[in-house]
Amino acid sequence: MTIRIGILTLSDRSSRGERVDASGPALAHLVLAQNWSVIEQAILADDESTIRAALTAWADSGRFDVILTTGGTGFALRDVTPEATRAIIQRDAPGLAEAMRADSLKKTPHAMLSRGIAGIRGRTLIVNLPGSPKGAVENLQTILPVLPHAVQLLNDDPNSEASH
């Protein structure tokens, strides 16, 4: 199964060109290693309304099965990714965020400071990942095994026999 992925890096400094985005490319590398497709990558500032607009446009476009965000999930005042995501999702997917935090907690107590969420808008799954390349990749690795099934469930025709 080919999964169509969008990767949205959320960082004031990277959006201004002051810091190279390392997390987006690290996530893209892992996605491509699964033989999935990276449909689009973008970098935005930590601005809640801008993030909401981008997530809405991407999710509603029908081009993406999964949107991965990286950055903006911590305690800093500018970290607003979970709030922007929560504002546009239609259904929560808390098990993904819980699994990522539980797995990360085995590696660092700082996992308790992650506020990332996951949810569904239409047929698109949106997952908030940490901003560090290591944290983003480790968290994605945690949920990789269930993503094909999640995407399949989101794309199943509710009127088909297989879904009953």
Side-chain angles (χ1 to χ4, degrees):
M1 163 186 255
T2 297
I3 298 178
R4 302 167 303 154
I5 307 276
I7 300 171
L8 189 58
T9 299
L10 304 162
S11 165
D12 286 333
R13 288 184 293 181
S14 291
S15 72
R16 292 190 301 256
E18 297 169 6
R19 181 177 62 194
V20 173
D21 172 27
S23 297
L27 290 170
H29 180 76
L30 180 54
V31 165
L32 295 173
Q34 306 305 307
N35 292 314
W36 299 342
S37 298
V38 176
I39 302 299
E40 189 171 344
Q41 287 183 253
I43 302 171
L44 294 176
D46 292 303
D47 175 75
E48 189 176 345
S49 63
T50 303
I51 298 166
R52 279 196 319 259
L55 289 174
T56 300
W58 280 18
D60 293 353
S61 74
R63 299 178 338 164
F64 305 95
D65 298 306
V66 178
I67 298 170
L68 303 173
T69 70
T70 176
T73 61
F75 276 31
L77 293 178
R78 297 280 297 162
D79 289 341
V80 295
T81 302
E83 288 73 23
T85 303
R86 190 172 287 110
I88 64 98
I89 60 172
Q90 296 158 327
R91 296 188 291 156
D92 287 325
L96 296 173
E98 291 165 7
M100 290 187 295
R101 267 188 285 278
D103 196 39
S104 293
L105 199 51
K106 296 173 187 171
K107 300 170 180 101
T108 176
H110 290 166
M112 288 183 262
L113 304 179
S114 175
R115 300 182 316 106
I117 68 165
I120 299 160
R121 181 177 176 94
R123 295 183 185 271
T124 303
L125 174 63
I126 301 170
V127 179
N128 298 158
L129 300 168
S132 76
K134 183 177 186 286
V137 166
E138 286 176 353
N139 276 260
L140 180 55
Q141 286 171 328
T142 298
I143 64 169
L144 276 180
V146 301
L147 289 184
H149 189 59
V151 168
Q152 181 182 14
L153 290 170
L154 287 170
N155 288 306
D156 270 353
D157 180 350
N159 299 316
S160 74
E161 281 300 310
S163 65
H164 294 291

